[in-house]
Amino acid sequence: MDELLALAPAPGGTASQGIVVRSKLAGIGGYLPERVVTNAELAAKVDTSDAWIRERTGIQQRHIAAPHETCAFMATQAARAALADAGADVSEVDAIILATATPDQAFPSTAVRVQAELGAGGFGFDISAACSGFVYALSMADSLIRTGAVRGVLVIGSEVYSRILDWTDRGTCVLFGDGAGAVFLRAGTGDGTGADTGILSTHLHADGRMGDILYVDGAVGRPDRPGHLVMQGREVFRHAVTRLSETVAEALEANNLPQSAIDWLVPHQANLRIIDGIGRKLGLPPERVVVTVDRHANTSAASIPLALSEAWHDGRIRRGQIVLMEALGGGLTWGSALVRM
Ligand code: ACO
């Protein structure tokens, strides 16, 4: 392994220039709260219907956290599952990067709470990029690995949106669910081409001028002003379709890959109509697009690793295949990650 640290990082990780360091997806895991809430249950509390929710979003049910299923608890379960899947000992964890918009506390970070639960060393911090959080965290982890700073990184997305929803607002409370997903990245090598396994590229974007179309109106840790999610759904939808199409094209171009090279699209799970639209643009048949929004609803930063975990563990996604992940969320933030498993 020591020779890894002596290697120069690949510029962008895509140029062909001898042996380079690559971040390999060694293990993947997820955790969902036990309690399932159906659309019919919600319709008994707010003025909505199963038909409206299914038709506009594709959502049929969501998992909602019990009091003990905190952001840190769910993240720890997902992290343990990812380490077990990788066959990794906790001593291999050099860093924990955790994406969340719903931490249990303003500080310490949820990442260090997970570190303590796991008994890991190294360092840890949280990332705030709303629904794009996992792609942002994956990108930071990849950069740290490729510079040689670390060799093993847990990248986690964990969310308890049920605690920031206004349960009287039918426009938002039907859309979200709780859960956590994690990947364990291990440093390895490649030849710097698209034939390598591991993370081939990440692209991140933000436009803070759009901050008011999707935000939380309160503060973490303020019981008097807990904060609820506020959203202009139509505006978010419009930007999502445009920005995600751009970022998909950007990832393919950076890797000099045709659309046909993509084996799997693992998108952020906000709305089935957005997911179907991107899949069609890529020319991917629906069976090559991983969908969990029907059962998980939108779990924000946890949605991509949860979807990845499901398709990995049920045998759909296999080693050697190319997976494209993309997300857009509050900020606005958006981005992509292209990975060969
Ligand atoms: N049940 C029944 N009726 C509803 C509900 C509901 N749960 N919510 C809204 N309505 C009503 C509205 O009040 C409105 O009624 P009106 O015509 O009498 O005024 C009508 O349905 C249409 O409302 P719109 O908001 O215009 O409905 P739209 O077709 O845009 O669908 C939705 C709303 C599903 C939120 C859609 O805009 C969307 O998916 N946007 C993307 C937002 C998103 O996914 N956000 C997640 C976070 S960001 C991310 O992850 C990308």
Side-chain angles (χ1 to χ4, degrees), residues 286-311:
E287 56 273 19
R288 291 278 169 181
V289 181
V290 180
V291 173
T292 54
V293 70
D294 52 338
R295 288 155 294 125
H296 302 174
N298 181 347
T299 57
S300 192
S303 90
I304 290 178
L306 271 170
L308 196 62
S309 179
E310 184 174 289

Side-chain angles (χ1 to χ4, degrees), residues 135-136 139 201-205 247 250-252 254-255 334-337:
V135 171
Y136 267 60
S139 181
S201 70
T202 61
H203 290 90
L204 304 181
H205 299 279
T247 204
E250 179 184 37
L252 291 173
N255 290 280
W334 65 99
S336 71

Side-chain angles (χ1 to χ4, degrees), residues 47-49 52-53 56-57 131 170-171 174-176 214 231 233-234 236-237 240 268 270-271 273-274 298 328-330:
D47 183 14
T48 188
S49 67
W52 192 96
I53 302 171
R56 306 282 176 127
T57 69
C131 300
R170 67 177 183 176
V174 302
L175 302 175
F176 296 90
L214 178 55
M231 180 178 73
R234 289 234 156 163
V236 174
F237 195 102
H268 167 51
N271 183 308
R273 287 186 292 157
I274 300 175
N298 181 347
L328 176 133

Side-chain angles (χ1 to χ4, degrees), residues 125-140:
F125 60 95
D126 288 358
I127 281 189
S128 169
C131 300
S132 313
F134 182 76
V135 171
Y136 267 60
L138 204 61
S139 181
M140 295 305 115

Side-chain angles (χ1 to χ4, degrees), residues 310-331:
E310 184 174 289
W312 173 244
H313 289 287
D314 70 18
R316 273 179 288 168
I317 297 180
R318 297 191 304 275
R319 288 281 173 214
Q321 292 186 321
I322 291 195
V323 175
L324 176 61
M325 306 173 218
E326 43 81 351
L328 176 133

